[in-house]
Short mmCIF file of all heavy atoms in Angstrom, two decimals:
data_model
loop_
_atom_site.label_atom_id
_atom_site.label_comp_id
_atom_site.label_asym_id
_atom_site.label_seq_id
_atom_site.Cartn_x
_atom_site.Cartn_y
_atom_site.Cartn_z
N ARG M 25 97.26 72.08 102.04
CA ARG M 25 96.87 73.39 102.55
C ARG M 25 97.65 74.49 101.84
O ARG M 25 97.10 75.52 101.45
CB ARG M 25 97.10 73.48 104.07
CG ARG M 25 96.19 72.60 104.89
CD ARG M 25 96.13 73.09 106.32
NE ARG M 25 97.43 73.20 106.95
CZ ARG M 25 98.01 72.22 107.63
NH1 ARG M 25 97.40 71.05 107.75
NH2 ARG M 25 99.19 72.39 108.19
N ILE M 26 98.96 74.26 101.68
CA ILE M 26 99.81 75.26 101.03
C ILE M 26 99.41 75.44 99.57
O ILE M 26 99.31 76.56 99.06
CB ILE M 26 101.30 74.84 101.13
CG1 ILE M 26 101.77 74.88 102.59
CG2 ILE M 26 102.17 75.77 100.28
CD1 ILE M 26 103.16 74.34 102.80
N ILE M 27 99.16 74.31 98.88
CA ILE M 27 98.80 74.36 97.47
C ILE M 27 97.52 75.15 97.27
O ILE M 27 97.45 76.07 96.44
CB ILE M 27 98.63 72.94 96.88
CG1 ILE M 27 100.01 72.26 96.77
CG2 ILE M 27 97.97 73.00 95.50
CD1 ILE M 27 99.94 70.80 96.35
N TRP M 28 96.47 74.82 98.04
CA TRP M 28 95.19 75.49 97.86
C TRP M 28 95.23 76.95 98.31
O TRP M 28 94.52 77.80 97.76
CB TRP M 28 94.08 74.73 98.59
CG TRP M 28 93.68 73.50 97.84
CD1 TRP M 28 93.76 72.21 98.27
CD2 TRP M 28 93.16 73.44 96.51
NE1 TRP M 28 93.33 71.35 97.30
CE2 TRP M 28 92.96 72.08 96.21
CE3 TRP M 28 92.86 74.40 95.55
CZ2 TRP M 28 92.45 71.67 94.97
CZ3 TRP M 28 92.36 73.98 94.32
CH2 TRP M 28 92.16 72.64 94.05
N THR M 29 96.07 77.24 99.30
CA THR M 29 96.22 78.64 99.72
C THR M 29 96.86 79.45 98.59
O THR M 29 96.40 80.56 98.29
CB THR M 29 97.09 78.74 100.99
OG1 THR M 29 96.46 78.02 102.05
CG2 THR M 29 97.26 80.20 101.41
N LEU M 30 97.88 78.88 97.96
CA LEU M 30 98.53 79.56 96.84
C LEU M 30 97.58 79.72 95.66
O LEU M 30 97.57 80.76 94.99
CB LEU M 30 99.79 78.79 96.42
CG LEU M 30 100.96 78.79 97.43
CD1 LEU M 30 102.08 77.88 96.93
CD2 LEU M 30 101.48 80.21 97.64
N VAL M 31 96.78 78.68 95.39
CA VAL M 31 95.80 78.75 94.31
C VAL M 31 94.79 79.86 94.59
O VAL M 31 94.44 80.64 93.70
CB VAL M 31 95.07 77.40 94.14
CG1 VAL M 31 93.87 77.55 93.20
CG2 VAL M 31 96.02 76.35 93.59
N ALA M 32 94.33 79.93 95.85
CA ALA M 32 93.35 80.96 96.22
C ALA M 32 93.95 82.36 96.07
O ALA M 32 93.28 83.28 95.58
CB ALA M 32 92.89 80.74 97.67
N ILE M 33 95.22 82.52 96.47
CA ILE M 33 95.89 83.83 96.34
C ILE M 33 96.02 84.21 94.87
O ILE M 33 95.80 85.36 94.48
CB ILE M 33 97.27 83.79 97.02
CG1 ILE M 33 97.10 83.67 98.54
CG2 ILE M 33 98.08 85.06 96.68
CD1 ILE M 33 98.41 83.44 99.28
N LEU M 34 96.38 83.22 94.04
CA LEU M 34 96.53 83.46 92.60
C LEU M 34 95.20 83.88 91.99
O LEU M 34 95.14 84.86 91.22
CB LEU M 34 97.06 82.20 91.91
CG LEU M 34 97.20 82.29 90.37
CD1 LEU M 34 98.20 83.38 90.00
CD2 LEU M 34 97.63 80.94 89.80
N ILE M 35 94.13 83.15 92.33
CA ILE M 35 92.81 83.49 91.78
C ILE M 35 92.37 84.87 92.27
O ILE M 35 91.79 85.65 91.52
CB ILE M 35 91.77 82.42 92.20
CG1 ILE M 35 92.11 81.09 91.52
CG2 ILE M 35 90.36 82.87 91.80
CD1 ILE M 35 91.21 79.95 91.94
N ALA M 36 92.67 85.18 93.54
CA ALA M 36 92.32 86.50 94.08
C ALA M 36 93.04 87.59 93.31
O ALA M 36 92.45 88.62 92.96
CB ALA M 36 92.67 86.56 95.56
N ALA M 37 94.34 87.37 93.04
CA ALA M 37 95.13 88.36 92.31
C ALA M 37 94.58 88.56 90.90
O ALA M 37 94.46 89.69 90.41
CB ALA M 37 96.60 87.93 92.27
N ILE M 38 94.24 87.45 90.24
CA ILE M 38 93.69 87.52 88.89
C ILE M 38 92.34 88.23 88.90
O ILE M 38 92.04 89.05 88.01
CB ILE M 38 93.54 86.10 88.29
CG1 ILE M 38 94.93 85.48 88.07
CG2 ILE M 38 92.77 86.15 86.97
CD1 ILE M 38 94.88 84.02 87.64
N SER M 39 91.53 87.93 89.93
CA SER M 39 90.21 88.56 90.03
C SER M 39 90.33 90.07 90.20
O SER M 39 89.60 90.84 89.56
CB SER M 39 89.43 87.97 91.22
OG SER M 39 89.23 86.58 91.05
N ILE M 40 91.23 90.48 91.08
CA ILE M 40 91.43 91.92 91.32
C ILE M 40 91.95 92.59 90.05
O ILE M 40 91.49 93.68 89.67
CB ILE M 40 92.41 92.14 92.48
CG1 ILE M 40 91.77 91.66 93.80
CG2 ILE M 40 92.80 93.61 92.60
CD1 ILE M 40 92.72 91.66 94.98
N TYR M 41 92.87 91.92 89.36
CA TYR M 41 93.40 92.47 88.10
C TYR M 41 92.26 92.60 87.07
O TYR M 41 92.16 93.60 86.37
CB TYR M 41 94.50 91.56 87.55
CG TYR M 41 94.96 91.98 86.16
CD1 TYR M 41 95.83 93.06 85.99
CD2 TYR M 41 94.51 91.30 85.03
CE1 TYR M 41 96.24 93.45 84.72
CE2 TYR M 41 94.90 91.69 83.76
CZ TYR M 41 95.77 92.76 83.61
OH TYR M 41 96.16 93.14 82.36
N PHE M 42 91.42 91.57 87.01
CA PHE M 42 90.29 91.59 86.07
C PHE M 42 89.35 92.76 86.36
O PHE M 42 88.92 93.46 85.45
CB PHE M 42 89.52 90.26 86.18
CG PHE M 42 88.19 90.28 85.49
CD1 PHE M 42 88.09 90.12 84.11
CD2 PHE M 42 87.02 90.45 86.22
CE1 PHE M 42 86.86 90.14 83.48
CE2 PHE M 42 85.79 90.48 85.60
CZ PHE M 42 85.71 90.31 84.22
N VAL M 43 89.06 92.96 87.65
CA VAL M 43 88.16 94.05 88.04
C VAL M 43 88.75 95.39 87.65
O VAL M 43 88.06 96.26 87.09
CB VAL M 43 87.89 94.00 89.56
CG1 VAL M 43 87.16 95.26 90.02
CG2 VAL M 43 87.09 92.76 89.92
N ILE M 44 90.04 95.58 87.94
CA ILE M 44 90.69 96.85 87.63
C ILE M 44 90.80 97.05 86.12
O ILE M 44 90.58 98.15 85.60
CB ILE M 44 92.09 96.91 88.28
CG1 ILE M 44 91.95 96.93 89.81
CG2 ILE M 44 92.86 98.13 87.81
CD1 ILE M 44 93.28 96.82 90.55
N ALA M 45 91.12 95.96 85.40
CA ALA M 45 91.27 96.06 83.95
C ALA M 45 89.96 96.40 83.25
O ALA M 45 89.96 96.99 82.17
CB ALA M 45 91.83 94.74 83.41
N GLN M 46 88.84 96.02 83.89
CA GLN M 46 87.54 96.30 83.30
C GLN M 46 87.23 97.80 83.24
O GLN M 46 86.46 98.25 82.42
CB GLN M 46 86.44 95.60 84.11
CG GLN M 46 86.34 94.11 83.87
CD GLN M 46 85.81 93.80 82.48
OE1 GLN M 46 86.57 93.51 81.56
NE2 GLN M 46 84.51 93.87 82.30
N SER M 47 87.85 98.54 84.17
CA SER M 47 87.58 99.98 84.23
C SER M 47 88.77 100.77 83.70
O SER M 47 89.86 100.73 84.27
CB SER M 47 87.28 100.40 85.68
OG SER M 47 87.12 101.79 85.76
N LYS M 48 88.55 101.48 82.62
CA LYS M 48 89.62 102.30 82.05
C LYS M 48 89.88 103.54 82.90
O LYS M 48 90.94 104.17 82.80
CB LYS M 48 89.24 102.72 80.62
CG LYS M 48 89.06 101.55 79.67
CD LYS M 48 88.60 102.02 78.30
CE LYS M 48 88.38 100.85 77.35
NZ LYS M 48 87.90 101.28 76.02
N ASN M 49 88.90 103.88 83.76
CA ASN M 49 89.02 105.09 84.56
C ASN M 49 89.59 104.84 85.96
O ASN M 49 89.67 105.76 86.77
CB ASN M 49 87.64 105.76 84.70
CG ASN M 49 87.05 106.14 83.37
OD1 ASN M 49 87.77 106.63 82.50
ND2 ASN M 49 85.75 105.91 83.19
N PHE M 50 89.97 103.58 86.23
CA PHE M 50 90.47 103.28 87.58
C PHE M 50 91.86 103.88 87.78
O PHE M 50 92.72 103.85 86.91
CB PHE M 50 90.55 101.77 87.80
CG PHE M 50 91.11 101.40 89.14
CD1 PHE M 50 90.31 101.37 90.27
CD2 PHE M 50 92.47 101.09 89.27
CE1 PHE M 50 90.82 101.03 91.50
CE2 PHE M 50 92.99 100.74 90.52
CZ PHE M 50 92.16 100.72 91.62
N SER M 51 92.06 104.43 89.00
CA SER M 51 93.38 104.91 89.38
C SER M 51 93.52 104.76 90.89
O SER M 51 92.52 104.78 91.62
CB SER M 51 93.57 106.38 88.98
OG SER M 51 92.74 107.22 89.78
N ILE M 52 94.75 104.58 91.35
CA ILE M 52 95.01 104.44 92.78
C ILE M 52 94.54 105.68 93.53
O ILE M 52 93.95 105.60 94.61
CB ILE M 52 96.51 104.21 93.05
CG1 ILE M 52 96.97 102.90 92.39
CG2 ILE M 52 96.78 104.17 94.54
CD1 ILE M 52 96.31 101.65 92.94
N GLU M 53 94.77 106.84 92.93
CA GLU M 53 94.39 108.09 93.57
C GLU M 53 92.88 108.18 93.79
O GLU M 53 92.42 108.54 94.88
CB GLU M 53 94.86 109.28 92.72
CG GLU M 53 94.56 110.64 93.36
CD GLU M 53 95.03 111.79 92.49
OE1 GLU M 53 95.68 111.55 91.45
OE2 GLU M 53 94.74 112.95 92.86
N SER M 54 92.12 107.82 92.75
CA SER M 54 90.66 107.88 92.88
C SER M 54 90.15 106.84 93.88
O SER M 54 89.19 107.08 94.61
CB SER M 54 90.00 107.66 91.52
OG SER M 54 90.25 106.36 91.04
N PHE M 55 90.83 105.70 93.91
CA PHE M 55 90.45 104.64 94.85
C PHE M 55 90.67 105.10 96.29
O PHE M 55 89.81 104.90 97.16
CB PHE M 55 91.27 103.38 94.57
CG PHE M 55 90.92 102.21 95.45
CD1 PHE M 55 89.68 101.59 95.34
CD2 PHE M 55 91.83 101.73 96.38
CE1 PHE M 55 89.36 100.50 96.14
CE2 PHE M 55 91.51 100.65 97.19
CZ PHE M 55 90.28 100.03 97.07
N VAL M 56 91.82 105.74 96.55
CA VAL M 56 92.11 106.26 97.89
C VAL M 56 91.11 107.34 98.27
O VAL M 56 90.61 107.38 99.40
CB VAL M 56 93.56 106.81 97.95
CG1 VAL M 56 93.80 107.52 99.28
CG2 VAL M 56 94.57 105.68 97.77
N ASN M 57 90.81 108.21 97.32
CA ASN M 57 89.82 109.28 97.57
C ASN M 57 88.44 108.69 97.84
O ASN M 57 87.67 109.22 98.64
CB ASN M 57 89.74 110.23 96.37
CG ASN M 57 91.00 111.05 96.21
OD1 ASN M 57 91.72 111.29 97.18
ND2 ASN M 57 91.28 111.48 95.00
N PHE M 58 88.15 107.59 97.16
CA PHE M 58 86.87 106.90 97.34
C PHE M 58 86.73 106.42 98.79
O PHE M 58 85.65 106.49 99.38
CB PHE M 58 86.81 105.71 96.38
CG PHE M 58 85.44 105.13 96.18
CD1 PHE M 58 84.48 105.83 95.48
CD2 PHE M 58 85.12 103.87 96.67
CE1 PHE M 58 83.21 105.30 95.27
CE2 PHE M 58 83.86 103.33 96.47
CZ PHE M 58 82.89 104.05 95.76
N ILE M 59 87.85 105.95 99.36
CA ILE M 59 87.84 105.45 100.73
C ILE M 59 87.84 106.59 101.74
O ILE M 59 87.03 106.64 102.67
CB ILE M 59 89.06 104.54 100.99
CG1 ILE M 59 89.01 103.30 100.07
CG2 ILE M 59 89.09 104.08 102.46
CD1 ILE M 59 90.24 102.44 100.15
N THR M 60 88.78 107.53 101.55
CA THR M 60 88.92 108.62 102.53
C THR M 60 87.71 109.54 102.56
O THR M 60 87.43 110.19 103.58
CB THR M 60 90.18 109.46 102.21
OG1 THR M 60 90.10 109.93 100.84
CG2 THR M 60 91.44 108.63 102.38
N GLY M 61 86.97 109.59 101.47
CA GLY M 61 85.80 110.45 101.43
C GLY M 61 84.54 109.79 101.96
O GLY M 61 83.46 110.37 101.93
N SER M 62 84.67 108.55 102.45
CA SER M 62 83.50 107.81 102.93
C SER M 62 83.29 108.02 104.42
O SER M 62 84.16 108.51 105.15
CB SER M 62 83.68 106.31 102.63
OG SER M 62 84.84 105.82 103.27
N ASN M 63 82.11 107.61 104.89
CA ASN M 63 81.74 107.74 106.29
C ASN M 63 82.27 106.55 107.08
O ASN M 63 81.87 105.40 106.83
CB ASN M 63 80.21 107.80 106.41
CG ASN M 63 79.75 108.13 107.82
OD1 ASN M 63 80.40 107.81 108.79
ND2 ASN M 63 78.60 108.79 107.92
N PRO M 64 83.17 106.78 108.05
CA PRO M 64 83.78 105.67 108.80
C PRO M 64 82.77 104.84 109.60
O PRO M 64 83.00 103.65 109.85
CB PRO M 64 84.78 106.37 109.73
CG PRO M 64 84.29 107.79 109.83
CD PRO M 64 83.70 108.08 108.50
N MET M 65 81.66 105.44 110.01
CA MET M 65 80.65 104.70 110.77
C MET M 65 80.06 103.56 109.94
O MET M 65 79.74 102.49 110.47
CB MET M 65 79.54 105.65 111.24
CG MET M 65 80.00 106.70 112.25
SD MET M 65 80.80 105.96 113.71
CE MET M 65 79.43 105.02 114.40
N TRP M 66 79.91 103.80 108.63
CA TRP M 66 79.40 102.74 107.77
C TRP M 66 80.40 101.58 107.68
O TRP M 66 80.00 100.42 107.61
CB TRP M 66 79.12 103.29 106.37
CG TRP M 66 77.90 104.15 106.26
CD1 TRP M 66 77.85 105.48 105.94
CD2 TRP M 66 76.54 103.76 106.49
NE1 TRP M 66 76.56 105.94 105.94
CE2 TRP M 66 75.72 104.91 106.27
CE3 TRP M 66 75.92 102.56 106.84
CZ2 TRP M 66 74.34 104.87 106.40
CZ3 TRP M 66 74.54 102.54 106.97
CH2 TRP M 66 73.77 103.68 106.75
#
């Protein structure tokens, strides 16, 4: 259980890094604005 949980966390981290690396325009600030500017009901 521990091994596969760690593997899943590692793959998740790599996936998120891959997604962010794909976009040259990504920034934490724009990401936060993307969330805060959305409709909470959705």
